[in-house]
Amino acid sequence: MPTPLPRPTRTDLWITVAVLSASLISTFVIGVLDPNPADTDPWPWGYLLIVAACLPLLLRSARPEAVGLVSTPLSTVYYPLGFPDGCVMLCSVVMLYTLVRWGNRAFGWALGVSLFLGLNVWELSVGGGLRAEAVGTIGWALVLLFAAEVMRRRAEYRQAEHERLGEATRSREEELLRRAANERLRLARDVHDTVAHNISLINVQAGTALYLVEDQPERAAQALETIKHTSKDTLVELRAMLDVLRAADEAAPRAPVSGVTDLEELADGTRGAGVRVDVEVEGDARPLTLGVDTAVYRIVQEALTNVVRHSGASHTRVRVGYRPGGVRLEVSDDGRGGPAEPGNGITGMSERASLVGGMVDARPGEGGGFLVRAWLPTRAAVPSEGTGGT
């Protein structure tokens, strides 16, 4: 079964119509407005030659070499046959440029040079000399071919750059996933340490209470009060940590959970992704509860992750302010800003802050970029002035 001819693309169709129209109209206009008695009447063979040279351009994209072998010679021999000068040479221009631009370099150069050298040999053998117009065709052919080479090199460079950026993006995503996995490992170890320590404490206090409940009820009550507070703190801390530990296939934990003191290391990871990060600490630093300390680190981590993935920023500033009632966070960047989109971690940051009684506000910055503010209380009261925590 014979293979059907491919259908012309829309671009090839428009190029064919444009070149055919320009060639026919220019030949007709020159024959009417500037007739030359030495020219051969283009009707009908000149016009048929123009149509035969232009119509193959419909398959320019599908069969570039075959179209070049047909269209370029037909448009070239039009002129030695003595027909009026027109724009039929546009067929050669289109095909020679196409061949070299799309990578058929040797074929395009050989076709262009051989045809235009052949045109001048014809002029020399038939006319006894070389016309300036015929010699000039070699010059513009070389310009055309070199222009196609330049555009081809430029396209190859842009393609290589696009692939490089794609590889960098994939590497960045892999690095983010690796860091997230490492953080889950550290959280798992902290879960182990927290549970082991607090459950041991509860066990000791429960034994003490049982031993003293009859002889020293006051001390037994103190032990039970300690059990109450310890169990409550343990539940809060476990809830905060297990919210992140959702992967069921992680290996054994190896390191303690990260906190405020690890923000500089976190910033170093973001700097490795090509974003400049400044970390500023305001106020008198003090020890924080495990839940708040972890929330500070995780919220900053998620904000920096969003900066790397979505903002296109080159500079990010992280501010940690110690206030009498809690900790104020602010992460701002100079990226493209825009409203927060679902799936970019804003919900996760809000949930993490709410676990310790705080709140998160994320919105485009007034001067551009994106701004994340969080307030994490170390007391029961939360400031009434938004997330500023002044």
Side-chain angles (χ1 to χ4, degrees):
M1 182 177 181
T3 303
L5 286 176
R7 298 181 62 180
T9 65
R10 181 176 298 181
T11 300
D12 292 342
L13 178 61
W14 281 110
I15 289 177
T16 303
V17 171
V19 173
L20 180 61
S21 301
S23 301
L24 292 174
I25 293 173
S26 62
T27 300
F28 177 78
V29 170
I30 290 174
V32 173
L33 300 182
D34 189 19
N36 187 345
D39 288 343
T40 304
D41 186 3
W43 180 262
W45 302 113
Y47 290 117
L48 288 177
L49 187 59
I50 291 174
V51 173
C54 294
L55 285 183
L57 295 179
L58 290 170
L59 302 179
R60 180 184 70 100
S61 299
R63 302 285 190 270
E65 293 185 356
V67 173
L69 281 175
V70 174
S71 184
T72 304
L74 289 178
S75 63
T76 303
V77 301
Y78 172 88
Y79 296 95
L81 294 177
F83 294 115
D85 291 338
C87 296
V88 67
M89 188 59 70
L90 288 175
C91 296
S92 298
V93 172
V94 170
M95 287 314 305
L96 291 179
Y97 179 86
T98 297
L99 288 169
V100 177
R101 170 66 176 78
W102 288 357
N104 298 312
R105 302 173 58 203
F107 183 78
W109 276 92
L111 182 62
V113 173
S114 61
L115 285 177
F116 289 108
L117 286 178
L119 179 61
N120 284 273
V121 171
W122 172 277
E123 292 284 343
L124 183 62
S125 61
V126 175
L130 295 177
R131 291 190 303 168
E133 294 84 353
V135 176
T137 56
I138 296 178
W140 71 255
L142 292 176
V143 171
L144 173 68
L145 293 171
F146 277 117
E149 288 282 3
V150 170
M151 295 304 295
R152 182 186 62 82
R153 292 290 183 88
R154 181 182 179 186
E156 290 178 351
Y157 172 80
R158 295 177 64 180
Q159 178 65 22
E161 184 68 12
H162 178 74
E163 293 176 356
R164 186 189 68 80
L165 292 176
E167 182 62 27
T169 300
R170 286 191 293 272
S171 299
R172 185 182 302 171
E173 292 289 339
E174 291 174 358
E175 176 66 14
L176 290 173
L177 291 175
R178 185 187 67 81
R179 289 180 177 276
N182 290 339
E183 293 309 320
R184 285 194 289 270
L185 291 177
R186 286 193 280 268
L187 274 175
R189 177 57 183 271
D190 197 74
V191 168
H192 173 271
D193 293 343
T194 299
V195 171
H197 173 76
N198 290 341
I199 294 300
S200 297
L201 178 61
I202 290 173
N203 181 67
V204 171
Q205 294 294 334
T208 301
L210 287 174
Y211 181 76
L212 299 175
V213 66
E214 294 182 358
D215 299 333
Q216 303 181 42
E218 296 83 2
R219 292 185 59 187
Q222 293 177 359
L224 292 175
E225 185 71 18
T226 301
I227 291 174
K228 175 183 177 181
H229 289 298
T230 302
S231 60
K232 179 179 179 181
D233 293 342
T234 302
L235 289 175
V236 171
E237 292 171 0
L238 284 177
R239 182 182 178 188
M241 290 181 290
L242 293 177
D243 183 60
V244 180
L245 289 173
R246 296 174 181 175
D249 57 348
E250 297 295 335
R254 302 177 182 176
V257 69
S258 300
V260 177
T261 57
D262 299 301
L263 290 182
E264 193 63 37
E265 180 182 352
L266 178 63
D268 286 339
T270 304
R271 295 182 186 115
V275 181
R276 183 163 62 93
V277 182
D278 295 331
V279 180
E280 302 174 3
V281 178
E282 303 172 354
D284 297 327
R286 61 183 182 274
L288 302 173
T289 63
L290 180 61
V292 173
D293 200 27
T294 303
V296 171
Y297 182 88
R298 298 303 179 191
I299 291 173
V300 173
Q301 181 187 46
E302 190 62 52
L304 292 180
T305 300
N306 290 337
V307 168
V308 173
R309 286 184 174 178
H310 307 294
S311 72
S314 61
H315 179 221
T316 300
R317 176 174 295 172
V318 178
R319 294 178 179 175
V320 180
Y322 289 87
R323 300 291 186 263
V327 179
R328 174 189 175 187
L329 297 180
E330 182 176 299
V331 181
S332 59
D333 63 67
D334 60 355
R336 49 182 168 264
E341 299 178 358
N344 63 1
I346 303 299
T347 301
M349 287 190 285
S350 299
E351 291 176 350
R352 186 170 296 281
S354 66
L355 290 175
V356 295
M359 60 183 66
V360 170
D361 181 25
R363 65 183 66 183
E366 296 180 358
F370 202 80
L371 178 64
V372 175
R373 287 177 175 170
W375 171 256
L376 306 175
T378 53
R379 297 180 181 177
V382 178
S384 60
E385 297 179 4
T387 59
T390 55

